[in-house]
Amino acid sequence: MTREFAKMHGLGNDFVVFDATREPLTMTPELARAVADRRLGVGCDQILVVEPPPAPDVDFGYRIYNADGSESGQCGNGARCFARFVRDRGLSDRNPLVVATIAGRMTLAIADDGQVRVDLGVPVFEPADIPFEAPRREPTYNLAMDGGRELMVHALAIGNPHAVMVVDDVDSAPVSVQGPAVERHPRFPARVNVGFMAIHGPDHVALRVFERGVGETRACGSGACAAMIAGRLFHGLDETVRVDLPGGQLAVSWAGEGEPVYLTGPATHVFDGRLPMSMETAGNHGGR
Ligand SMILES: N[C@H](CCC[C@H](N)C(=O)O)C(=O)O
């Protein structure tokens, strides 16, 4: 049995998108890993599944699986591609769309110029909600790392957990070393996405993100939101900020605590294809 999919990306953060609105799709960690494998499968950072609405007040369910097979409650770049996929496939002509992930609701609006504006909801900062192990909420947290080093991070969640570090220069930031070390730090019991932000001005930052369950990606929408939020709270950023990522630029707007965060950027369709759903039995013997 085969299954049709669309290959899409948001600034190079790439996705395999399945329509499960008419035919259910059981996405297992094994199948997700097989599909995401860049040698044995299609290859992607995340798999996105469009599901029927789980409640009467939403238009669709939105499921997100990382390349390592783990499920996430948020994917900002993916949400833009989700909206484009739904529109292109004629699954709905509603605009904006309201979708439900496992972590909450999001609103997706396609603008006339093709850009998509996503409401990712209200960020949370209490350690228990991130989740992060700390006795109380602090502006920054000192993470004790192997070898006795300490790293200072901001921590928050917007449907998924983020640790944000401020660096002088993203190009020289030790993403490949500190990214995995923080992603799996024991104080983040569900692991964490790790952002490295350089502040160029009150309305302009550069960012690289080592994503939970994937590694460094060319862009991370929720990571851009998390970095801007930390920057606005603790480093004087404006209400709307341009975020330069390796794959391109996103715009993030956030009015302050208790308010939703908005992400605006492109969504690109690359090609359609068909997959044998028996892939998970094909096994995933390749590395990533
Ligand atoms: N690429 C996504 C982030 C995926 C988050 C995932 N890595 C996790 O939370 O486990 C984005 O554009 O927001």
Side-chain angles (χ1 to χ4, degrees):
M1 191 266 267
T2 64
R3 188 93 190 204
E4 207 266 335
F5 68 87
K7 184 72 181 3
M8 304 183 77
H9 72 84
L11 301 182
N13 179 200
D14 64 334
F15 311 108
V16 170
V17 190
F18 291 105
D19 171 6
T21 58
R22 288 166 282 223
E23 192 182 340
L25 171 62
T26 303
M27 184 52 63
T28 64
E30 296 73 23
L31 179 58
R33 285 194 291 269
V35 171
D37 192 295
R38 294 193 185 280
R39 292 178 179 81
L40 304 181
V42 180
C44 61
D45 292 329
Q46 277 93 20
I47 288 137
L48 312 179
V49 184
V50 184
E51 294 191 333
D57 62 339
V58 300
D59 298 304
F60 294 99
Y62 170 28
R63 303 291 288 268
I64 303 142
Y65 301 87
N66 288 312
D68 72 349
S70 60
E71 186 168 7
S72 174
Q74 183 57 274
C75 182
N77 286 326
R80 302 199 309 277
C81 291
F82 188 105
R84 162 73 49 227
F85 179 91
V86 163
R87 168 72 64 86
D88 292 351
R89 299 295 179 99
L91 298 179
S92 172
D93 57 7
R94 291 171 60 86
N95 192 19
L97 290 170
V98 179
V99 302
T101 75
I102 57 171
R105 278 154 171 61
M106 304 170 72
T107 303
L108 323 177
I110 298 181
D112 296 340
D113 65 357
Q115 297 269 304
V116 185
R117 186 173 193 254
V118 179
D119 169 350
L120 279 84
V122 177
V124 297
F125 304 91
E126 287 303 318
D129 299 331
I130 294 174
F132 177 61
E133 288 174 10
R136 71 193 68 80
R137 173 182 171 176
E138 305 280 358
T140 59
Y141 302 95
N142 286 325
L143 289 186
M145 309 303 288
D146 290 346
R149 172 129 197 228
E150 277 201 347
L151 291 179
M152 195 162 74
V153 302
H154 303 297
L156 62 130
I158 22 179
N160 61 349
H162 288 269
V164 179
M165 286 182 273
V166 177
V167 297
D168 294 330
D169 169 61
V170 293
D171 293 333
S172 59
V175 175
S176 60
V177 173
Q178 293 181 0
V182 174
E183 183 215 8
R184 298 182 184 89
H185 195 281
R187 290 182 66 184
F188 288 99
R191 297 186 294 165
V192 69
N193 297 284
V194 189
F196 298 79
M197 169 172 65
I199 296 174
H200 294 316
D203 66 349
H204 184 211
V205 302
L207 179 71
R208 289 171 67 186
V209 181
F210 187 95
E211 284 197 31
R212 175 177 62 170
V214 182
E216 183 175 3
T217 55
R218 290 183 55 72
C220 180
S222 56
C225 294
M228 182 272 184
I229 290 163
R232 180 157 168 71
L233 282 177
F234 309 115
H235 301 279
L237 293 188
D238 290 347
E239 185 164 336
T240 297
V241 174
R242 288 175 297 128
V243 182
D244 284 338
L245 296 127
Q249 190 172 94
L250 293 171
V252 181
S253 296
W254 183 56
E257 289 226 31
E259 297 297 323
V261 60
Y262 296 93
L263 171 69
T264 303
T268 306
H269 174 267
V270 183
F271 67 90
D272 293 330
R274 296 197 73 83
L275 268 176
M277 279 295 104
S278 58
M279 283 195 80
E280 62 184 312
T281 56
N284 167 17
H285 308 298
R288 253 197 63 76

